[in-house]
Amino acid sequence: MSAPHKVDDDCIFCKIIAGKIPSFKLIDTDLSYAFLDIGPIAKGHSLVIPKYHGAKLHDLPDEAMTDILKNLKKLAVAQGLENYNILQNNGRIAHQVVDHVHFHLIPKPSDSDKEGLVIGWPTQKGEGFEMDQLKQLAEDIKGKL
Ligand code: 5GP
Ligand code: ZN
């Protein structure tokens, strides 16, 4: 069975896959493509994208995701990374700028806020987040799976 492909001619990442826009290619498989990010926040910051155009994670066929994860692991191992983040943004307010699914592999070479991913982590407490409410929430979500 052939790999699922979908192209949007106006999409910058579809153009990169097609070679219409140059990129520093790292990996090229039937299902995905990896290349260096043009605006790196750390040395080795790269992107792994499906060869199936979809804006958000839930738009992708499962095969594409499996292949992408394998390639993220390959890139981390090849660079001998010990500290790194995998980031995949969905939607504008979640910091997505390019509407073709992409996974960032972002090395974290030091604990400095000057390189690598810097994360805010606003842990929620109190009303809406009590233990019994979390229990109910888990039931609600499981009921929809
Ligand atoms: P987002 O905020 O959508 O998760 O991240 C988009 C990423 O794509 C950014 O890190 C940006 O630097 C990268 N990017 C945008 N356009 C290009 C491009 O033309 N070439 C490459 N290599 N990276 C790009
Ligand atoms: Zn695309």
Side-chain angles (χ1 to χ4, degrees):
M1 211 176 73
S2 67
H5 284 191
K6 189 175 159 197
V7 177
D8 176 338
D9 290 333
D10 297 324
C11 167
I12 188 166
F13 284 178
C14 283
K15 286 180 188 167
I16 284 178
I17 292 167
K20 292 176 186 160
I21 292 177
S23 68
F24 293 112
K25 176 167 86 176
L26 298 169
I27 299 176
D28 190 356
T29 74
D30 275 356
L31 293 165
S32 70
Y33 186 87
F35 56 110
L36 288 180
D37 194 297
I38 207 169
I41 60 172
K43 193 173 176 185
H45 180 175
S46 46
L47 299 172
V48 184
I49 63 177
K51 288 189 174 174
Y52 183 100
H53 177 87
K56 295 182 179 175
L57 188 74
H58 58 261
D59 297 323
L60 291 189
D62 290 347
E63 306 96 293
M65 288 195 279
T66 311
D67 195 62
I68 287 168
L69 270 182
K70 284 187 196 167
N71 288 329
L72 288 163
K73 178 181 168 186
K74 259 190 197 169
L75 289 170
V77 170
Q79 295 176 80
L81 300 182
E82 292 200 3
N83 299 285
Y84 56 96
N85 296 96
I86 304 295
L87 176 69
Q88 196 270 314
N89 300 325
N90 296 276
R92 287 290 171 274
I93 64 169
H95 303 285
Q96 182 177 17
V97 173
V98 177
D99 288 334
H100 180 130
V101 173
H102 48 283
F103 287 70
H104 296 257
L105 169 63
I106 308 172
K108 189 70 184 174
S110 74
D111 64 2
S112 162
D113 278 1
K114 292 199 169 70
E115 55 185 349
L117 189 63
V118 179
I119 307 179
W121 202 267
T123 302
Q124 306 287 317
K125 291 194 180 107
E127 181 49 33
F129 299 93
E130 307 289 1
M131 211 47 80
D132 55 332
Q133 293 172 311
L134 295 183
K135 184 170 187 277
Q136 184 57 53
L137 178 61
E139 293 306 323
D140 291 350
I141 295 171
K142 283 193 285 180
K144 293 174 187 162
L145 292 174

